[in-house]
Amino acid sequence: MKKIDEVLNWLLSNIEHEHTAIEIAEALQLDRTNASRYLNQLQLEGKIEKQNGRPVKYKILKQTAVNITPQTVDKKFSLDFLIGAEKSLIVPIQQAKAAILYPPRGLHTLILGETGVGKSMFAELMYQFAKESSMIMPSAPFVRFNCADYAENPQLLTAQIFGVKKGAYTGADKDREGLLSKANKGMIFLDEVHRLSHQGQEMLFTFIDKGYFRRLGDSEDKVFAEVQIIAATTEEPESTLLKTFTRRIPMTIQLPALKERGLKDRYMLIQAFIKEESKRLSKSIYINKNALESFLLYDCPSNIGQLKSDIQLACAKAFFNYKSQGKGYILIELSDLPQHVGKGHLRIKENRHELEKLIRYQEDIFKFHFDEEDAYLNEENMHDTYFYEQIENKLSKLRSEGLNDQEINQIMSLDIEKHFRRYIVDLAPKFRKEEIAKVVDVKIVEFTDQVLSVASQKLKKEFDEKIFYGFALHLNGSIERLKNGKKIYHPKLNLIRVNYPDEFLAAMEIAKQIDETFSVETPLDEIGYLAMFLASTPYELTGEKATNVSVLIIMHGNSTATSMAQVVNTLIGTTHCHALDMPLSMKPQSMVELAIEKVKEIHEGKGVIILVDMGSLVNFSELINNDTGISCKTLDCVSTPIALEACRRAVLGRELIEIHSACSELMGRSVTVNVMRDIRKTNLIITVCFTGEGASERLKDIIKNKLELGTSFEVVPMNILNRKDFAESIAKYRQTHEILAIVGTVDVEEQGIPFISAVELLAGEGITRLKKMVSQQDEYIKIGESLSEHIVSVDAKLLISYVRQFIVDSERKLKVNLADDVKVGIALHLSFLVDYIKRGISHKDKGELGAFIAKNSREMALMKQQLVAIERMFEVDFSQSDIAYLAKMMLSNHQITV
């Protein structure tokens, strides 16, 4: 470093005072003449100023301090170790140093940035820098305070910061010191400062101006303090803070979002976070290339905080696999990643060039091991140090209880994800209030924000964007009904009161505020609905355990039923299918008694489907029902593919009647009567909310206004208050309609039916998805019209309807995701194949498919089931080669989705 730079750095490090040439020469062991020459040169460059008088003294100019760069400082400080310090964070760090070093006590600072960019950590590093540069004493306090914690009570918020005098308000039974007093001679960090009321902001800028403040309720005594303020907000300061307040904050620092920082910064952050976990475990952690690429490319709206949480979740799952499977190493694979992270792997194509530059010389497996000299992060752990120990202890406990590996995996996966959900409370994306305000009164939007914030504090849980939108839509409809004198009825009110007492009490308080704000009288039934929104899993609030139809196979022979059940459970990946073997020597009465006890044991509340081979077993369901009262249905002459289908539908939550009917149809029973009715189905979009009225009706209106739906489309609002009734309604609609999507205020999972949240619909993405679905339906209609010119052996339009249904069902059952052009190709192939068979035209053999058939027997069986309807309607028989080729087309064109 040049001598002149040493002089400048020394002045920066001693910025509080003015200094003579002699002092500087002695401190830096320079000749006095040279020191004077350097000082004069710095003055000419406009970096320092000379003070009149004797002896002549020099000091740094304000603009010099503000424009200082890390390269001009010889010493490395905590701020300099931040990832991105030499690139994406270079300007913020310059500003931070200038704010701390500016005489005499630094500049008050406002930090701007999205949730999760690291504003809290950056503020703490500014405090560390102040100590490292001797601007404050090593023992100087650093007080953190989040204004959002008391946002619902402005008076209490003000009291926390400034203190309170005894008697200032009810409950103020003694004088209490405020946080500003506790931060004297140090720094205070006010996070979410926009939550501070205008009165609080005025009190704060008065303190900035005068150096003293008065406690709440005290109009006489002044409290003096020397405190540097660092404030932070996720909002635009112009719209949320008083101009008189922001004018008194001379330094504003904008922290960039993660998406603005480039892949190199993200790679270094990933590396640092994995190494932190490596340190906790005292073991190296490996990650395969696919998983690393996903972390580098996935959409991470809550920035660094979310990235860290997602990495910790992946590490926890990898650690569990390491322990449960007895692996010799901890390896993070794509399957260990949260679903939204795994989607990053789909972006490789457009980012391949940048990825190759970043990790081109790496292997397929990356190793990370903690190093004491790694980049400085200084962020609090988002889960405790003993979490991995807890995983080990829970694993040992579950094994000691005799649970199998599949059950342990399910329990542990839920526990690990539940643990991490507690730590991403502050990472939810900012509510897009302007979107909901387009369809809901702004007053209701603001009211929803306010009451959910209060409820969040009282119930110690956070409400995501979907709950916010659903609550606002529901409230909008309910207030309208109340003002129009319409009755609100909740059929499960007592159930809600008993099972969710805390949520119900919070809902009662919200109801009081509704009455005061909107001049209505909220009935008890409406409070029940409000409580449902406040509950953590609102779709489960029916009071009914999420149960399934039980599956029991009974067959003659020593192991026939057991073997079939084992095959079914293995292929589906469950233990839901049960079996009873009936030796040929056993009397039917003895078997009935065994079956009765078995049905009682496995019954979950939704009935039992009994699969048998022949003889007296056919009548067992009636005998069991008469004895136990448990609903049972029997299917005889059952094969393994039928047992597979029955069990698959059961674990998906289908009703007993639907399972029996569907399997009967696959076996060729009672199909022909319904063929014509089932195939020309009306397209249906379902909107849902708890009541089936306010919110779902509003969503219906939005869809009809945004989409040009012809007469072949319907939009039906439904309620989801009762899970069983809802599932039965869906099953009935499936018979007469093609359900394109379910749109709702609460998540609804129905196999094979896409779900679109109210959030997506109002933000625009949902409408785009619906338009695509509608256009795909129109595409099949056009294909049918075009085929009419080429296919004469059958009704081409009718055929394409069957083909479309075949593709939809096959995608669902084979669990594949096909591109639109692939679906069109399959539709054309299958349509012409039917025509060839009907006309007796021999079609080419598809090549050697023996190996494929042997390897994919399950898929072949499922595919054959899907083709039954086409075979029966058009009186054709598909060869094994035809079926195998269709299955191969679907499996080989599967697009990976995560």
Side-chain angles (χ1 to χ4, degrees), residues 272-342:
F273 293 147
I274 296 179
K275 285 184 176 181
E276 284 186 9
E277 301 308 300
S278 168
K279 181 182 181 182
R280 285 194 189 94
L281 292 166
S282 298
K283 290 182 180 296
S284 297
I285 295 179
Y286 298 83
I287 181 170
N288 70 25
K289 191 174 183 180
N290 289 341
L292 178 61
E293 288 170 339
S294 294
F295 271 122
L296 284 167
L297 299 176
Y298 84 104
D299 183 24
C300 191
S302 293
N303 297 293
I304 298 172
Q306 181 182 350
L307 177 66
K308 181 169 186 176
S309 180
D310 288 336
I311 286 173
Q312 289 178 322
L313 175 55
C315 287
K317 288 187 175 182
F319 176 75
F320 168 69
N321 294 334
Y322 159 73
K323 282 293 181 182
S324 63
Q325 299 173 22
K327 291 182 177 180
Y329 46 85
I330 301 171
L331 173 63
I332 300 172
E333 300 181 86
L334 204 57
S335 58
D336 296 319
L337 273 51
Q339 185 178 14
H340 62 278
V341 177

Coordinates of all heavy atoms in Angstrom, one line a residue, residues 272-342:
A272 N -21.5 -22.4 2.1 CA -21.4 -22.0 3.5 C -22.5 -22.6 4.4 O -22.2 -23.1 5.5 CB -21.5 -20.4 3.6
F273 N -23.7 -22.7 3.9 CA -24.8 -23.3 4.7 C -24.6 -24.8 4.9 O -24.9 -25.3 5.9 CB -26.1 -23.0 4.0 CG -26.5 -21.5 4.0 CD1 -27.2 -21.0 3.0 CD2 -26.1 -20.7 5.1 CE1 -27.6 -19.6 3.0 CE2 -26.4 -19.3 5.1 CZ -27.2 -18.8 4.0
I274 N -24.1 -25.5 3.8 CA -23.9 -26.9 4.0 C -22.7 -27.2 4.9 O -22.8 -28.1 5.7 CB -23.6 -27.6 2.6 CG1 -24.9 -27.5 1.7 CG2 -23.3 -29.0 2.8 CD1 -24.7 -28.1 0.3
K275 N -21.7 -26.3 4.8 CA -20.6 -26.4 5.8 C -21.0 -26.2 7.2 O -20.4 -26.8 8.1 CB -19.5 -25.5 5.3 CG -18.7 -26.0 4.1 CD -17.5 -25.1 3.8 CE -16.7 -25.6 2.6 NZ -15.6 -24.8 2.3
E276 N -22.0 -25.3 7.4 CA -22.5 -25.1 8.8 C -23.1 -26.4 9.3 O -22.9 -26.8 10.5 CB -23.5 -24.0 8.8 CG -22.9 -22.6 8.7 CD -24.0 -21.5 8.9 OE1 -25.2 -21.9 9.2 OE2 -23.7 -20.4 8.6
E277 N -23.8 -27.1 8.5 CA -24.4 -28.4 8.9 C -23.3 -29.4 9.1 O -23.4 -30.3 10.0 CB -25.4 -28.9 7.8 CG -26.6 -27.9 7.6 CD -27.3 -27.4 8.8 OE1 -27.8 -28.3 9.6 OE2 -27.3 -26.2 9.1
S278 N -22.3 -29.4 8.2 CA -21.2 -30.3 8.4 C -20.5 -30.1 9.7 O -20.1 -31.0 10.4 CB -20.2 -30.0 7.3 OG -18.9 -30.7 7.5
K279 N -20.4 -28.8 10.2 CA -19.8 -28.5 11.5 C -20.6 -29.1 12.6 O -20.1 -29.7 13.6 CB -19.6 -27.0 11.7 CG -19.0 -26.6 13.0 CD -18.9 -25.1 13.2 CE -18.2 -24.8 14.5 NZ -18.2 -23.3 14.7
R280 N -22.0 -29.0 12.5 CA -22.8 -29.5 13.6 C -22.7 -31.1 13.7 O -22.7 -31.6 14.8 CB -24.3 -29.2 13.3 CG -24.7 -27.8 13.5 CD -26.2 -27.6 13.5 NE -26.5 -26.2 13.6 CZ -26.7 -25.5 12.5 NH1 -26.7 -26.1 11.3 NH2 -27.0 -24.2 12.6
L281 N -22.5 -31.7 12.5 CA -22.4 -33.2 12.5 C -21.0 -33.7 12.7 O -20.8 -34.9 12.9 CB -23.0 -33.7 11.2 CG -24.5 -33.5 11.0 CD1 -24.9 -33.7 9.5 CD2 -25.3 -34.4 11.9
S282 N -20.0 -32.8 12.5 CA -18.6 -33.2 12.5 C -18.4 -34.3 11.5 O -17.6 -35.2 11.7 CB -18.2 -33.8 13.9 OG -18.3 -32.8 14.9
K283 N -19.1 -34.1 10.3 CA -18.9 -35.1 9.2 C -19.0 -34.3 7.9 O -19.7 -33.3 7.8 CB -20.0 -36.1 9.2 CG -19.9 -37.1 10.4 CD -21.0 -38.2 10.3 CE -20.9 -39.2 11.4 NZ -19.7 -40.0 11.3
S284 N -18.3 -34.8 6.9 CA -18.5 -34.3 5.6 C -19.9 -34.5 5.0 O -20.5 -35.5 5.4 CB -17.5 -34.9 4.6 OG -16.1 -34.6 5.0
I285 N -20.4 -33.6 4.2 CA -21.7 -33.7 3.6 C -21.5 -33.7 2.1 O -20.8 -32.8 1.6 CB -22.7 -32.6 4.0 CG1 -23.0 -32.8 5.5 CG2 -24.0 -32.7 3.2 CD1 -23.9 -31.7 6.1
Y286 N -22.0 -34.7 1.4 CA -21.9 -34.8 0.0 C -23.3 -34.4 -0.7 O -24.3 -34.6 -0.1 CB -21.6 -36.2 -0.5 CG -20.2 -36.7 0.0 CD1 -20.1 -37.2 1.3 CD2 -19.1 -36.6 -0.7 CE1 -18.9 -37.6 1.8 CE2 -17.8 -37.0 -0.3 CZ -17.8 -37.6 1.0 OH -16.5 -38.0 1.5
I287 N -23.2 -33.8 -1.9 CA -24.4 -33.5 -2.6 C -24.2 -33.8 -4.1 O -23.1 -33.5 -4.6 CB -24.8 -32.0 -2.4 CG1 -26.1 -31.6 -3.2 CG2 -23.7 -31.1 -2.8 CD1 -26.6 -30.3 -2.8
N288 N -25.2 -34.5 -4.7 CA -25.0 -34.8 -6.1 C -25.2 -33.6 -7.0 O -25.9 -32.6 -6.6 CB -25.8 -36.1 -6.5 CG -27.3 -35.8 -6.6 OD1 -27.7 -34.7 -6.8 ND2 -28.1 -36.9 -6.4
K289 N -24.8 -33.7 -8.2 CA -24.8 -32.5 -9.1 C -26.2 -32.1 -9.4 O -26.5 -30.9 -9.4 CB -24.1 -32.9 -10.4 CG -23.8 -31.7 -11.3 CD -22.9 -32.1 -12.5 CE -22.6 -30.9 -13.3 NZ -21.7 -31.3 -14.5
N290 N -27.1 -33.0 -9.6 CA -28.5 -32.6 -9.8 C -29.1 -31.8 -8.7 O -29.8 -30.8 -8.9 CB -29.4 -33.9 -10.1 CG -29.0 -34.5 -11.4 OD1 -28.4 -33.9 -12.3 ND2 -29.4 -35.8 -11.6
A291 N -28.9 -32.2 -7.5 CA -29.4 -31.5 -6.3 C -28.8 -30.1 -6.2 O -29.5 -29.1 -5.9 CB -29.2 -32.3 -5.1
L292 N -27.5 -30.1 -6.4 CA -26.8 -28.8 -6.3 C -27.3 -27.8 -7.4 O -27.6 -26.6 -7.1 CB -25.3 -29.0 -6.5 CG -24.4 -27.7 -6.5 CD1 -24.6 -27.0 -5.1 CD2 -23.0 -28.0 -6.7
E293 N -27.5 -28.3 -8.6 CA -28.0 -27.5 -9.7 C -29.4 -27.0 -9.4 O -29.8 -25.8 -9.7 CB -28.0 -28.2 -11.0 CG -26.6 -28.4 -11.6 CD -26.6 -29.4 -12.7 OE1 -27.5 -30.2 -12.9 OE2 -25.6 -29.4 -13.5
S294 N -30.2 -27.8 -8.7 CA -31.6 -27.4 -8.3 C -31.5 -26.2 -7.3 O -32.3 -25.3 -7.4 CB -32.3 -28.6 -7.7 OG -32.6 -29.5 -8.7
F295 N -30.6 -26.4 -6.3 CA -30.4 -25.3 -5.3 C -30.0 -24.0 -6.0 O -30.4 -22.9 -5.6 CB -29.5 -25.7 -4.3 CG -30.1 -26.4 -3.1 CD1 -29.7 -27.7 -2.7 CD2 -31.1 -25.8 -2.3 CE1 -30.3 -28.3 -1.7 CE2 -31.7 -26.4 -1.3 CZ -31.3 -27.7 -0.9
L296 N -29.2 -24.1 -7.0 CA -28.6 -22.9 -7.7 C -29.7 -22.2 -8.6 O -29.7 -21.0 -8.8 CB -27.5 -23.3 -8.6 CG -26.1 -23.6 -7.9 CD1 -25.2 -24.3 -8.9 CD2 -25.5 -22.3 -7.4
L297 N -30.7 -23.0 -9.0 CA -31.6 -22.4 -10.0 C -33.1 -22.3 -9.6 O -33.8 -21.6 -10.3 CB -31.6 -23.4 -11.3 CG -30.3 -23.5 -12.0 CD1 -30.4 -24.5 -13.2 CD2 -29.8 -22.2 -12.5
Y298 N -33.4 -22.8 -8.4 CA -34.9 -22.7 -8.1 C -35.3 -21.3 -7.7 O -34.5 -20.5 -7.3 CB -35.2 -23.8 -7.0 CG -34.9 -23.3 -5.5 CD1 -36.0 -22.9 -4.7 CD2 -33.6 -23.3 -5.0 CE1 -35.7 -22.6 -3.4 CE2 -33.4 -23.0 -3.7 CZ -34.5 -22.6 -2.9 OH -34.2 -22.2 -1.6
D299 N -36.6 -21.1 -7.8 CA -37.2 -19.8 -7.4 C -37.2 -19.7 -5.9 O -37.9 -20.5 -5.3 CB -38.5 -19.7 -8.0 CG -39.2 -18.3 -7.7 OD1 -38.4 -17.4 -7.5 OD2 -40.4 -18.2 -7.8
C300 N -36.5 -18.8 -5.3 CA -36.4 -18.7 -3.9 C -36.9 -17.3 -3.5 O -36.1 -16.4 -3.1 CB -34.9 -18.9 -3.5 SG -34.6 -19.1 -1.7
P301 N -38.2 -17.1 -3.4 CA -38.8 -15.7 -3.2 C -38.4 -15.1 -1.9 O -38.4 -13.9 -1.7 CB -40.3 -15.9 -3.4 CG -40.5 -17.4 -3.1 CD -39.3 -18.1 -3.6
S302 N -38.2 -16.0 -0.9 CA -37.9 -15.4 0.5 C -36.4 -15.4 0.7 O -35.9 -15.3 1.8 CB -38.6 -16.3 1.5 OG -40.0 -16.1 1.4
N303 N -35.6 -15.4 -0.4 CA -34.2 -15.1 -0.4 C -33.3 -15.9 0.5 O -33.6 -17.1 0.6 CB -34.1 -13.6 0.0 CG -34.7 -12.7 -1.1 OD1 -34.3 -12.6 -2.2 ND2 -35.8 -12.1 -0.7
I304 N -32.3 -15.3 1.1 CA -31.2 -16.1 1.8 C -31.8 -16.9 3.0 O -31.4 -18.1 3.2 CB -30.1 -15.2 2.3 CG1 -29.5 -14.5 1.1 CG2 -29.1 -15.9 3.1 CD1 -28.5 -13.4 1.5
G305 N -32.8 -16.3 3.7 CA -33.4 -17.0 4.8 C -34.0 -18.3 4.3 O -33.9 -19.4 5.0
Q306 N -34.8 -18.3 3.2 CA -35.4 -19.5 2.7 C -34.4 -20.5 2.2 O -34.5 -21.7 2.4 CB -36.4 -19.1 1.6 CG -37.1 -20.3 1.0 CD -38.1 -20.0 -0.1 OE1 -38.3 -18.8 -0.3 NE2 -38.6 -21.0 -0.8
L307 N -33.4 -20.0 1.5 CA -32.3 -20.9 1.0 C -31.7 -21.7 2.1 O -31.5 -22.9 2.0 CB -31.2 -20.0 0.2 CG -30.0 -20.8 -0.3 CD1 -30.5 -21.7 -1.4 CD2 -29.0 -19.8 -0.8
K308 N -31.4 -21.0 3.2 CA -30.8 -21.7 4.3 C -31.7 -22.7 4.9 O -31.3 -23.8 5.2 CB -30.4 -20.7 5.4 CG -29.7 -21.3 6.6 CD -29.1 -20.3 7.5 CE -28.3 -21.0 8.6 NZ -27.6 -20.0 9.5
S309 N -33.0 -22.4 5.1 CA -33.9 -23.3 5.6 C -34.1 -24.5 4.7 O -34.1 -25.6 5.2 CB -35.3 -22.6 5.8 OG -36.2 -23.5 6.4
D310 N -34.2 -24.3 3.4 CA -34.3 -25.4 2.5 C -33.1 -26.3 2.5 O -33.2 -27.5 2.4 CB -34.5 -24.9 1.0 CG -35.9 -24.2 0.9 OD1 -36.8 -24.6 1.6 OD2 -36.1 -23.3 0.0
I311 N -31.9 -25.7 2.6 CA -30.7 -26.5 2.7 C -30.7 -27.4 4.0 O -30.3 -28.5 4.0 CB -29.5 -25.6 2.6 CG1 -29.3 -25.2 1.1 CG2 -28.2 -26.4 3.0 CD1 -28.2 -24.1 0.9
Q312 N -31.1 -26.8 5.1 CA -31.1 -27.5 6.3 C -32.1 -28.6 6.3 O -31.8 -29.7 6.8 CB -31.4 -26.5 7.5 CG -30.3 -25.6 7.8 CD -30.7 -24.6 8.9 OE1 -31.8 -24.1 9.0 NE2 -29.7 -24.3 9.7
L313 N -33.2 -28.4 5.6 CA -34.2 -29.5 5.5 C -33.6 -30.7 4.7 O -33.8 -31.8 5.1 CB -35.5 -29.0 4.8 CG -36.6 -30.0 4.5 CD1 -37.0 -30.8 5.7 CD2 -37.8 -29.3 3.9
A314 N -33.0 -30.3 3.6 CA -32.3 -31.4 2.8 C -31.3 -32.1 3.5 O -31.1 -33.3 3.4 CB -31.8 -30.7 1.5
C315 N -30.5 -31.4 4.3 CA -29.4 -32.0 5.1 C -30.0 -32.9 6.2 O -29.5 -34.0 6.4 CB -28.6 -31.0 5.8 SG -27.4 -30.1 4.7
A316 N -31.1 -32.5 6.8 CA -31.8 -33.3 7.8 C -32.3 -34.6 7.2 O -32.2 -35.7 7.8 CB -32.9 -32.6 8.4
K317 N -32.9 -34.6 6.0 CA -33.4 -35.8 5.3 C -32.2 -36.7 4.9 O -32.3 -37.9 5.0 CB -34.2 -35.4 4.1 CG -35.6 -34.8 4.5 CD -36.5 -34.6 3.2 CE -37.9 -34.1 3.6 NZ -38.7 -33.9 2.5
A318 N -31.2 -36.1 4.4 CA -30.0 -36.9 4.0 C -29.4 -37.6 5.3 O -29.0 -38.7 5.2 CB -29.0 -36.0 3.4
F319 N -29.4 -36.9 6.4 CA -28.9 -37.5 7.6 C -29.7 -38.6 8.1 O -29.2 -39.7 8.5 CB -28.8 -36.4 8.7 CG -28.4 -36.9 10.1 CD1 -27.0 -37.2 10.3 CD2 -29.3 -37.1 11.1 CE1 -26.6 -37.7 11.5 CE2 -28.9 -37.6 12.3 CZ -27.5 -37.9 12.5
F320 N -31.1 -38.5 8.0 CA -32.0 -39.5 8.3 C -31.7 -40.8 7.5 O -31.7 -41.9 8.0 CB -33.4 -39.1 8.2 CG -34.4 -40.2 8.3 CD1 -34.6 -40.9 9.5 CD2 -35.1 -40.6 7.2 CE1 -35.5 -41.9 9.6 CE2 -36.0 -41.7 7.3 CZ -36.2 -42.3 8.5
N321 N -31.5 -40.6 6.2 CA -31.2 -41.7 5.3 C -29.9 -42.4 5.6 O -29.8 -43.6 5.6 CB -31.2 -41.2 3.8 CG -32.5 -40.7 3.3 OD1 -33.6 -41.2 3.8 ND2 -32.5 -39.8 2.4
Y322 N -29.0 -41.5 6.0 CA -27.6 -42.0 6.4 C -27.8 -43.0 7.6 O -27.1 -44.0 7.7 CB -26.7 -40.8 6.7 CG -25.5 -41.1 7.6 CD1 -24.4 -41.8 7.2 CD2 -25.5 -40.6 8.9 CE1 -23.3 -42.0 8.0 CE2 -24.4 -40.7 9.7 CZ -23.3 -41.4 9.3 OH -22.3 -41.6 10.1
K323 N -28.6 -42.6 8.6 CA -28.8 -43.3 9.8 C -29.7 -44.5 9.6 O -29.4 -45.6 10.1 CB -29.4 -42.4 10.9 CG -28.3 -41.5 11.6 CD -27.3 -42.3 12.3 CE -26.3 -41.5 13.0 NZ -25.3 -42.3 13.7
S324 N -30.8 -44.3 8.9 CA -31.8 -45.4 8.8 C -31.4 -46.5 7.8 O -31.7 -47.7 8.0 CB -33.1 -44.8 8.3 OG -33.0 -44.3 7.0
Q325 N -30.6 -46.1 6.8 CA -30.1 -47.1 5.8 C -28.7 -47.6 6.0 O -28.2 -48.4 5.3 CB -30.3 -46.5 4.4 CG -31.7 -46.1 4.1 CD -31.8 -45.3 2.8 OE1 -30.9 -45.4 1.9 NE2 -32.9 -44.6 2.6
G326 N -28.1 -47.1 7.1 CA -26.7 -47.6 7.4 C -25.7 -47.2 6.4 O -24.8 -48.0 6.1
K327 N -25.9 -46.1 5.7 CA -24.9 -45.6 4.7 C -23.6 -45.2 5.4 O -23.6 -44.8 6.5 CB -25.5 -44.4 3.9 CG -26.7 -44.8 3.0 CD -27.1 -43.5 2.3 CE -28.3 -43.8 1.3 NZ -28.7 -42.6 0.5
G328 N -22.6 -45.2 4.5 CA -21.3 -44.8 5.1 C -21.0 -43.3 4.9 O -19.9 -42.8 5.2
Y329 N -22.0 -42.6 4.4 CA -21.7 -41.1 4.1 C -23.1 -40.4 4.1 O -24.1 -41.1 3.9 CB -21.0 -41.0 2.7 CG -21.7 -41.8 1.6 CD1 -22.8 -41.3 0.9 CD2 -21.2 -43.1 1.3 CE1 -23.4 -42.1 0.0 CE2 -21.8 -43.8 0.4 CZ -22.9 -43.3 -0.3 OH -23.5 -44.1 -1.3
I330 N -23.1 -39.1 4.2 CA -24.3 -38.3 4.2 C -24.3 -37.7 2.8 O -23.5 -36.9 2.4 CB -24.3 -37.2 5.2 CG1 -24.1 -37.8 6.6 CG2 -25.5 -36.3 5.2 CD1 -23.9 -36.8 7.7
L331 N -25.3 -38.1 2.0 CA -25.4 -37.6 0.6 C -26.8 -37.0 0.4 O -27.8 -37.6 0.6 CB -25.2 -38.8 -0.4 CG -25.5 -38.5 -1.8 CD1 -24.5 -37.5 -2.4 CD2 -25.4 -39.8 -2.7
I332 N -26.8 -35.7 -0.1 CA -28.0 -35.1 -0.4 C -28.3 -35.4 -1.9 O -27.5 -35.1 -2.8 CB -27.9 -33.5 -0.3 CG1 -27.6 -33.2 1.2 CG2 -29.2 -32.8 -0.7 CD1 -27.2 -31.7 1.4
E333 N -29.5 -36.0 -2.1 CA -29.9 -36.3 -3.5 C -31.2 -35.5 -3.8 O -31.8 -34.8 -3.0 CB -30.2 -37.8 -3.6 CG -29.0 -38.7 -3.2 CD -29.3 -40.2 -3.3 OE1 -29.2 -40.7 -4.5 OE2 -29.7 -40.8 -2.3
L334 N -31.5 -35.6 -5.1 CA -32.7 -34.8 -5.6 C -33.9 -35.1 -4.8 O -34.8 -34.3 -4.5 CB -32.9 -35.1 -7.1 CG -33.6 -34.1 -7.9 CD1 -32.9 -32.7 -7.8 CD2 -33.8 -34.5 -9.4
S335 N -34.1 -36.4 -4.4 CA -35.3 -36.8 -3.6 C -35.3 -36.2 -2.2 O -36.4 -36.2 -1.6 CB -35.3 -38.4 -3.5 OG -34.2 -38.8 -2.9
D336 N -34.2 -35.7 -1.7 CA -34.2 -35.1 -0.4 C -34.6 -33.6 -0.4 O -34.8 -33.0 0.7 CB -32.8 -35.2 0.2 CG -32.3 -36.6 0.4 OD1 -33.1 -37.4 0.9 OD2 -31.2 -36.9 0.1
L337 N -34.8 -33.1 -1.6 CA -35.1 -31.7 -1.7 C -36.6 -31.4 -1.6 O -37.4 -32.2 -2.0 CB -34.6 -31.1 -3.1 CG -33.1 -30.7 -3.2 CD1 -32.1 -31.7 -2.7 CD2 -32.8 -30.3 -4.6
P338 N -36.9 -30.3 -0.9 CA -38.3 -29.9 -0.9 C -38.8 -29.8 -2.4 O -38.1 -29.5 -3.3 CB -38.3 -28.5 -0.2 CG -37.1 -28.5 0.6 CD -36.1 -29.3 -0.2
Q339 N -40.1 -30.0 -2.6 CA -40.7 -30.0 -3.9 C -40.4 -28.8 -4.7 O -40.0 -28.8 -5.9 CB -42.2 -30.2 -3.9 CG -42.8 -30.4 -5.2 CD -44.3 -30.7 -5.1 OE1 -44.9 -30.4 -4.1 NE2 -44.9 -31.1 -6.2
H340 N -40.5 -27.6 -4.1 CA -40.3 -26.3 -4.8 C -38.8 -26.2 -5.2 O -38.5 -25.5 -6.2 CB -40.8 -25.1 -4.0 CG -40.0 -24.9 -2.7 ND1 -40.4 -25.7 -1.6 CD2 -39.0 -24.1 -2.4 CE1 -39.6 -25.3 -0.6 NE2 -38.7 -24.4 -1.1
V341 N -37.9 -26.8 -4.5 CA -36.5 -26.7 -4.8 C -36.2 -27.6 -6.0 O -35.4 -27.2 -6.9 CB -35.6 -27.1 -3.6 CG1 -34.1 -27.1 -4.0 CG2 -35.8 -26.2 -2.4
G342 N -36.7 -28.8 -6.0 CA -36.5 -29.7 -7.1 C -36.9 -29.2 -8.4 O -36.3 -29.5 -9.5

